[in-house]
Amino acid sequence: MIEVEHLYFLWMAEGTISRNECHNNETMMDLAERYLTGLDLQVKWEWPRGMFDLRKYRILRVLSFDRIDFHERGLPRGITKLIYLRYMSLKGSRLEVLPSSIGNLSFLEILDLRVSHRIIIPNVLQKLGKLVYLYLPLEFQMPNNIKLYLGSSKELEILENFDTRMWNVADLFEMMRLRHLSTTVEGILWDLEQIVHRMDMTLDDTSVLYPSIKVKNFDCYTEERHFAFRKLLKCQILHTLYMDGHLGKIPPYNEITQSLTEMVLISSQLKEDPMTTLGKLPELRVLVLQNNAFDGKKMICVEPSFKKHKRLDLSNLSFLET
């Protein structure tokens, strides 16, 4: 069965729906959901595994590889000739190197690079100025270990797996259409400050950003770094936060965004019971405390705390009494 999201992408790529049909503040994904209402569809979509020469399919608009191993043979010949291609997916596939010629697909709007193994990505995605949805791989390498650029991708609405170690964080300030951002910051204060600044920017009603932030190896032993963490927690549009590193304490309830739906704290070494504060967050559904996120012996949850809570995970809290 085809995934609903995949079906939406097909409609976009084939021109079944267009941006001109969007109502006020409506994204292409919103339009696709509206279009689907009332339809009862069952669609099967399979890639013909024997087709590895695409030169005779020059007008192709949709190209989806599902869990195909390109480890030894590489991508099919003729991909760069598909100048009308709108949607390309390598999700779950295995590919060693993304060809630099991908940068020639100037009409590409949807690109899914969530491959199954580490991949090398050349600095060519910045050429794809019409991209609307970009799903990056969780792990990849850059040629010569030089950060990659996305500055010309000003039409992006969804950007997944943006890692500030690999990509130029300043490019986010060019993407004023962003609706969803999934990003990772690892240890570098300046990168986190830039992410917070981007989230705090005053945007018009057509560009509401819903970010998911993962902060790794970020110890807050200095006031400067803890201040950056507090500013992040105050961001009114923050929905999901993963924080790995020493905090010592969290700010009071009135200094934490009310929009937070999921919070993961790892190795935080909190000295005071966080439940009194976090239990008041009205939208919090998931709370995970791991690896000595709390150094105390007792936690107390008082009703009516965690009104919308669906998951509580407490693990490897060495000092907590049971």
Side-chain angles (χ1 to χ4, degrees), residues 246-264:
H246 172 83
L247 297 174
K249 61 181 179 179
I250 57 174
Y253 158 76
N254 60 357
E255 294 182 15
I256 300 177
T257 176
Q258 306 295 290
S259 301
L260 203 60
T261 60
E262 181 173 342
M263 189 175 196
V264 178

Side-chain angles (χ1 to χ4, degrees), residues 23-118:
H23 294 165
N24 290 338
N25 302 333
E26 191 174 45
T27 66
M28 289 290 285
M29 196 68 77
D30 295 331
L31 174 62
E33 290 178 357
R34 180 160 56 85
Y35 190 84
L36 182 65
T37 302
L39 296 180
D40 183 12
L41 299 177
Q42 290 188 342
V43 185
K44 288 188 177 180
W45 177 271
E46 294 183 0
W47 172 256
R49 292 177 179 270
M51 192 172 77
F52 287 100
D53 189 344
L54 300 174
R55 286 174 290 186
K56 59 183 178 180
Y57 300 96
R58 298 188 64 174
I59 63 172
L60 201 65
R61 287 173 174 260
V62 177
L63 185 58
S64 177
F65 301 104
D66 185 11
R67 296 185 295 275
I68 296 179
D69 190 347
F70 296 110
H71 175 57
E72 295 182 355
R73 57 192 168 194
L75 291 175
R77 295 185 298 275
I79 279 187
T80 57
K81 303 297 183 182
L82 307 177
I83 58 174
Y84 299 106
L85 200 64
R86 300 293 195 275
Y87 171 34
M88 179 175 174
S89 174
L90 294 168
K91 187 176 181 180
S93 298
R94 183 176 183 181
L95 181 66
E96 296 294 308
V97 181
L98 186 71
S100 58
S101 55
I102 292 295
N104 296 332
L105 302 176
S106 57
F107 287 97
L108 205 60
E109 296 177 358
I110 303 160
L111 180 59
D112 193 335
L113 297 176
R114 290 175 290 185
V115 293
S116 61
H117 292 70
R118 184 184 294 267

Side-chain angles (χ1 to χ4, degrees), residues 93-154:
S93 298
R94 183 176 183 181
L95 181 66
E96 296 294 308
V97 181
L98 186 71
S100 58
S101 55
I102 292 295
N104 296 332
L105 302 176
S106 57
F107 287 97
L108 205 60
E109 296 177 358
I110 303 160
L111 180 59
D112 193 335
L113 297 176
R114 290 175 290 185
V115 293
S116 61
H117 292 70
R118 184 184 294 267
I119 184 175
I120 297 175
I121 298 182
N123 195 18
V124 296
L125 299 189
Q126 59 182 326
K127 297 180 180 180
L128 305 177
K130 293 186 180 295
L131 277 179
V132 179
Y133 302 98
L134 176 58
Y135 299 88
L136 297 168
L138 286 172
E139 294 187 50
F140 68 94
Q141 294 176 253
M142 314 93 73
N144 305 317
N145 291 320
I146 298 175
K147 283 191 175 186
L148 307 181
Y149 288 84
L150 286 172
S152 63
S153 303
K154 298 180 180 180

Side-chain angles (χ1 to χ4, degrees), residues 10 17 27 31 36 69 73-74 139 149 159 183 186 204-205 211 224 231 234 247 265 274 284 309 321:
L10 295 180
I17 59 176
T27 66
L31 174 62
L36 182 65
D69 190 347
R73 57 192 168 194
E139 294 187 50
Y149 288 84
L159 178 56
T183 184
E186 185 148 0
D204 58 39
D205 292 338
E224 184 180 28
K231 282 199 67 175
K234 289 183 71 173
L247 297 174
L265 297 179
L284 193 63
H309 215 64
E321 295 178 346

